[in-house]
Amino acid sequence: SAIFTDRIVVVGVTGRPELTPTDRTVLGTHLGDAQAGTMSVRPRYVGDCAAAGWTTLGAGRRAAVGGLCTPQVQGAKVADWPARQAAAAARRGDAQLGTLAGSIKGCVAAVGPGAALAAAKPDGTLAAYQSPQQFLAGGMQTRCPITIVDAGPLSDQIITELANRKDITLIVTGVGPNAGSDDPSLQVVYRLGTTLPGWLTSASTRREGIVTLTDLTRTLIEFGGPTSTLAADGSPFAVYDADLSVEGIDAKIKSIAALSNATPIGYIALGLAGALLFLI
């Protein structure tokens, strides 16, 4: 699913298992150029905070943060970068932090502390960093080909304003659970500014309406012009073309969530049946 603008803005949100009123309003005016679905936000270990999702996006592999849930930026660098690298490498972890920024020709800008984890280079430095308030005050200008935004309470305002921009491709995606929650549920993802509306998918999932954070990483790397062979899992976004409606998107997200919740029960039932057959 090709990208035809010169810039991409990714707005990451937390605790978004279903469409919000802002999502409904934005998608309602972009049904002809939107792709929608659900995002698998699972980090390396279920129960990790949203910082693990941001780290996974930057590493292109499911990552752990070892309880380092409150990133801070000092002097255009993630303050505790060595500790985060150690957390990602613990227990045989193979995620290489900074893979996204280290794999493309252009720069990756960050807005907000969570986004800094995704946009940081392999040494933890940032090509450009702003707070959400600075981003808004500056008219949300994007000087890098890729901008990643962690706007927190300002997310809906930023999404609404960016949705009206014709010069960017906007991707809104869940990255992890709300603070204090360990919910690993699939979350909402949609992309505006496409030429083929439908359901997001990828070669990784081969499922209509389901993609992963590492798929988003790979999509951004392919857009930015890959320059290295740094290891990243995932496959670029693809699409099953379809006519969308807000009600249809809502129903699709709920049906995928219901199936995902039922899957463990199916595995347990198959396991018990197999054990019973083995005993017989």
Side-chain angles (χ1 to χ4, degrees), residues 2 19 41 43 62 80 95 104 109-110 114 128 136 156-157 165 182 258 260:
L19 297 178
V41 299
R62 288 166 58 189
D80 54 356
I104 63 174
L136 277 169
D156 286 344
Q157 179 182 352
R165 295 262 298 269
D182 59 0
S260 297

Side-chain angles (χ1 to χ4, degrees), residues 35 196-202 205-210 238-244:
Q35 295 170 357
L196 185 65
W199 305 115
L200 283 167
T201 185
S202 74
T205 67
R206 295 182 291 177
R207 295 276 301 279
E208 184 178 279
I210 302 178
V239 60
Y240 287 97
D241 63 301
D243 294 328
L244 300 181

Side-chain angles (χ1 to χ4, degrees), residues 76-175:
K77 184 175 182 178
V78 178
D80 54 356
W81 192 250
R84 294 183 178 278
Q85 288 178 310
R91 297 163 66 181
R92 299 184 180 181
D94 57 359
Q96 300 295 315
L97 275 58
T99 294
L100 170 59
S103 299
I104 63 174
K105 298 173 184 176
C107 59
V108 182
V111 176
L117 298 179
K121 301 175 184 178
D123 63 357
T125 60
L126 295 159
Y129 179 77
Q130 293 177 291
S131 69
Q133 293 79 8
Q134 290 170 329
F135 186 56
L136 277 169
M140 295 183 291
Q141 297 302 309
T142 55
R143 71 176 184 86
C144 289
I146 299 171
T147 300
I148 302 177
V149 181
D150 167 23
L154 298 175
S155 294
D156 286 344
Q157 179 182 352
I158 287 177
I159 290 168
T160 300
E161 295 190 28
L162 288 176
N164 297 320
R165 295 262 298 269
K166 302 297 184 182
D167 60 325
I168 64 168
T169 294
L170 173 64
I171 297 174
V172 177
T173 179
V175 293

Side-chain angles (χ1 to χ4, degrees), residues 41 43-53 63-69 176-177 181-183:
V41 299
R44 183 172 176 83
Y45 302 113
V46 174
D48 252 338
C49 54
V65 293
L68 300 173
C69 295
S181 170
D182 59 0
D183 184 6

Side-chain angles (χ1 to χ4, degrees), residues 185-205:
S185 298
L186 298 170
Q187 297 194 22
V188 169
V189 60
Y190 55 89
R191 171 186 149 185
L192 307 182
T194 74
T195 59
L196 185 65
W199 305 115
L200 283 167
T201 185
S202 74
S204 300
T205 67

Side-chain angles (χ1 to χ4, degrees), residues 256-275:
I256 292 172
L259 180 60
S260 297
N261 292 336
T263 298
I265 299 174
Y267 282 132
I268 292 171
L270 285 172
L272 292 174

Side-chain angles (χ1 to χ4, degrees), residues 103 227-232:
S103 299
T227 60
S228 72
T229 57
L230 288 176

